[in-house]
Amino acid sequence: KNEVEQSPQNLTAQEGEFITINCSYSVGISALHWLQQHPGGGIVSLFMLSSGKKKHGRLIATINIQEKHSSLHITASHPRDSAVYICAGNRDDKIIFGKGTRLHILP
Amino acid sequence: NAGVTQTPKFQVLKTGQSMTLQCAQDMNHEYMSWYRQDPGMGLRLIHYSVGAGITDQGEVPNGYNVSRSTTEDFPLRLLSAAPSQTSVYFCASSYSILPDPKYFGPGTRLTVT
């Protein structure tokens, strides 16, 4: 079992829908990251958080340390949000990645 | 700033050959790391460095060497390439000394035949 699990693995939605991607982890982590990888390969760091909630434009990331769970929300989704979203956690001096959620937003 | 640069973008090697993947950053970042990305496996940490002269192993270090003689450069060496090392390799850096993949390079697609 992967120490960082994401759900769903794949998600297709219509433009404008509210999107939620979930990340659960089974080990203690000191920080959690959300990354975005567009088709073609480029990876962008969206958030690093260790508690609470962060917002950047239409993206919101939350983390619940007690429940070992984080969510990434996208409001008013747009086709340009189509990408793979990756959750990762800092454990000791390592970083552990989830396998990613492939999001496809239809116009 | 050029950010994080990687060369080459694509490479084909024969089994047993050696090569070096180059990674450089011009942001004066302390932390640099190498990841490989395989279908169905996600990103996995190969080696990382928290500053010049300091390197450490990640999750999948076997078959790879790294060095960090300057803050800017963090090359990854494949000693004797194997088909299992066919992958996409990403270099990343951040100002923090914690593992924090904030800035990624564009990736190197390596095929070993």
Side-chain angles (χ1 to χ4, degrees):
Chain A
K1 187 179 183 327
N2 213 33
E3 291 172 304
V4 176
E5 294 275 356
Q6 289 185 235
S7 63
Q9 286 188 320
N10 295 284
L11 177 58
T12 299
Q14 290 293 137
E15 182 174 356
E17 285 190 38
F18 181 82
I19 303 299
T20 295
I21 298 170
N22 296 300
C23 176
S24 297
Y25 48 93
S26 58
V27 294
I29 63 168
S30 55
L32 187 127
H33 308 263
W34 282 102
L35 310 171
Q36 179 192 58
Q37 185 173 24
H38 276 289
I43 300 175
V44 174
S45 173
L46 298 174
F47 296 103
M48 180 172 109
L49 64 165
S50 52
S51 65
K53 175 179 170 178
K54 286 191 176 180
K55 184 176 189 292
H56 182 71
R58 295 180 295 106
L59 301 176
I60 303 164
T62 64
I63 187 168
N64 184 317
I65 300 293
Q66 286 75 26
E67 294 187 5
K68 293 187 168 63
H69 182 268
S70 175
S71 292
L72 177 68
H73 305 286
I74 305 175
T75 61
S77 60
H78 189 276
R80 65 174 173 265
D81 297 324
S82 297
V84 175
Y85 292 85
I86 302 167
C87 168
N90 282 85
R91 178 169 65 90
D92 301 324
D93 58 350
K94 305 281 196 291
I95 186 159
I96 308 163
F97 291 86
K99 294 183 181 179
T101 294
R102 187 174 299 275
L103 175 65
H104 187 203
I105 303 296
L106 300 170
Chain B
N1 285 353
V4 180
T5 58
Q6 287 183 238
T7 56
K9 294 192 85 130
F10 302 94
Q11 182 72 48
V12 179
L13 289 178
K14 293 191 187 317
T15 298
Q17 287 184 317
S18 63
M19 79 158 294
T20 299
L21 278 62
Q22 301 291 345
C23 174
Q25 52 88 13
D26 60 358
M27 297 173 281
N28 204 32
H29 284 168
E30 293 293 336
Y31 178 80
M32 295 185 75
S33 53
W34 276 102
Y35 302 89
R36 59 177 290 174
Q37 186 177 41
D38 303 292
M41 298 289 291
L43 287 156
R44 291 182 290 172
L45 179 64
I46 305 172
H47 284 285
Y48 66 99
S49 168
V50 297
I54 306 168
T55 63
D56 208 344
Q57 296 182 347
E59 184 185 354
V60 289
N62 292 342
Y64 307 95
N65 270 0
V66 291
S67 60
R68 185 95 180 270
S69 55
T70 67
T71 299
E72 294 76 23
D73 299 297
F74 191 45
L76 178 74
R77 295 183 191 85
L78 279 70
L79 309 171
S80 177
S84 61
Q85 293 178 304
T86 294
S87 188
V88 181
Y89 292 85
F90 288 96
C91 178
S93 75
S94 71
Y95 184 73
S96 166
I97 62 167
L98 294 174
D100 175 10
K102 187 144 181 77
Y103 299 93
F104 280 84
T108 295
R109 186 173 294 272
L110 175 69
T111 302
V112 183
T113 62

